[in-house]
Amino acid sequence: MGWSSVSAAVVPAADRFEWFREAVSGEVMPLSMTTEHAADFHADIAGMELGPVRMASFAYSPIVARRSAAHVRQGDPEDYQLTLVSGGSFRLSHLGRDELIAGDMVLADTSRPMATECVGADGPVRALVLQVPRAAVPLRPDRVDRLLARRIPARRGSGAILSDFLNTLVRQAPHCAEGELAGLGPVVLDLVGACLAHQLGALDEAPVDARARLTLERVLAFIEHNLGDPDLTPRLIAERHHLSLRALYALFEDRPESVAATVRRRRLERSHADLARRDLGDLGDLGDRSVPRAVQAVAARWGFSSHAAFSRAFRERYGITPSEHRAGAGAGAGAEVEADAADRAGAGADGQAVGVGQGTSVATGAA
């Protein structure tokens, strides 16, 4: 199954909470659910299958949910459930532990009773939920038990890498084919395994592939945040990540491009996007500068120390020079401005004619 989404708005307002309860109980796992917002309940659900992993995105009015031992006997997917809370707060009571989560992640075992209380702040509760088969997690169950109902930071370290990947996956899933999504399952499993192992202080227990995936994601994030540094070379990247050059190159062996090519492509893509913008306000008054000066400023911004090298690389990738691209974008913006002005002029003329007619009509009626 590829990406799919549905909203409680498809059913009458009085039935929306019951619709949501049945959807979660049927598609995720059996549980009971209550809410103080049954009369005005809101819920949006989206989901996808990533090979053996299932992922769902939820936005819903505050609820209280309970999964008892009877519910477990009724139906158990035998999963670890990893929840990333991006809006509101999520309180999990599980194995005698109680943890309040807002902006971070928390892990639960579907084979054991649990209770959750979800509270919205200024809007609905928003959460991403991963259902990962327990057998697919490359860590001993007794080790994973130590992480259940414990906050897993999602804003730094391996947790941030995992959460950023999941958020990107949700944004891009509607544009992916079913086969593409299924192929991402091993990536998700690697990142989850590495993140959990890191939380346990046992990264060495994670499979080699999982550790390599985590390191690669760190390297890619570092590249993305340092594209403007003209000294961003493979050697610098390797040193910052305590890798040899050989180990860094090995991380990119199965990718379609080398580390240097990745840096060059992302710099060119950023430059291409900047040069197409009408307003380059974050580069000072660049919008009022000449095309050549704009090109030089953008090249410098994204780490190109040589204008000639930038122009040559840009033309090789896009088939035109940076100046031609910038000039074309400016011409397009000018044409749109002229069209907008013509539209406003036409609307103004029509408005005046209508206004006169209405004025005459009113005057006649008053008479």
Side-chain angles (χ1 to χ4, degrees), residues 1-2 49-51 176-185:
M1 180 187 73
E49 291 186 2
L50 306 164
C176 294
E178 185 174 339
E180 289 181 275
L181 294 176
L184 291 172

Side-chain angles (χ1 to χ4, degrees), residues 107 154 161 325 354:
L107 188 69
I161 292 172
H325 177 55
V354 170

Side-chain angles (χ1 to χ4, degrees), residues 157-207:
S158 57
I161 292 172
L162 175 58
S163 64
D164 286 350
F165 183 86
L166 296 181
N167 283 319
T168 300
L169 188 55
V170 168
R171 290 194 300 271
Q172 296 302 322
H175 310 293
C176 294
E178 185 174 339
E180 289 181 275
L181 294 176
L184 291 172
V187 179
V188 175
L189 285 174
D190 281 349
L191 291 178
V192 169
C195 178
L196 297 182
H198 186 268
Q199 295 301 310
L200 291 167
L203 191 57
D204 289 344
E205 292 187 18

Side-chain angles (χ1 to χ4, degrees), residues 78-82 92 94-95 97 106-112 130 132-152 189 192-202 205-207:
E78 299 185 356
D79 289 339
Y80 287 122
Q81 180 174 280
L82 183 67
L92 173 65
H94 194 38
L95 302 182
R97 304 167 189 161
V106 67
L107 188 69
D109 182 345
T110 65
S111 297
R112 305 180 189 184
L130 275 183
V132 182
R134 288 202 304 269
V137 174
L139 296 167
R140 296 201 319 265
D142 62 312
R143 301 296 302 276
V144 179
D145 282 355
R146 292 165 49 188
L147 297 176
L148 299 176
R150 304 292 192 196
R151 184 177 66 88
I152 299 175
L189 285 174
V192 169
C195 178
L196 297 182
H198 186 268
Q199 295 301 310
L200 291 167
E205 292 187 18

Side-chain angles (χ1 to χ4, degrees), residues 278 332-342 344:
R278 296 189 198 179
E336 290 183 18
V337 169
E338 290 180 5
D340 289 344
R344 287 195 299 272

Side-chain angles (χ1 to χ4, degrees), residues 277-291 294 326:
R277 289 166 49 195
R278 296 189 198 179
D279 176 19
L280 301 179
D282 56 354
L283 293 180
D285 63 349
L286 183 56
D288 297 329
R289 298 179 183 179
S290 64
V291 167
R326 177 62 186 163

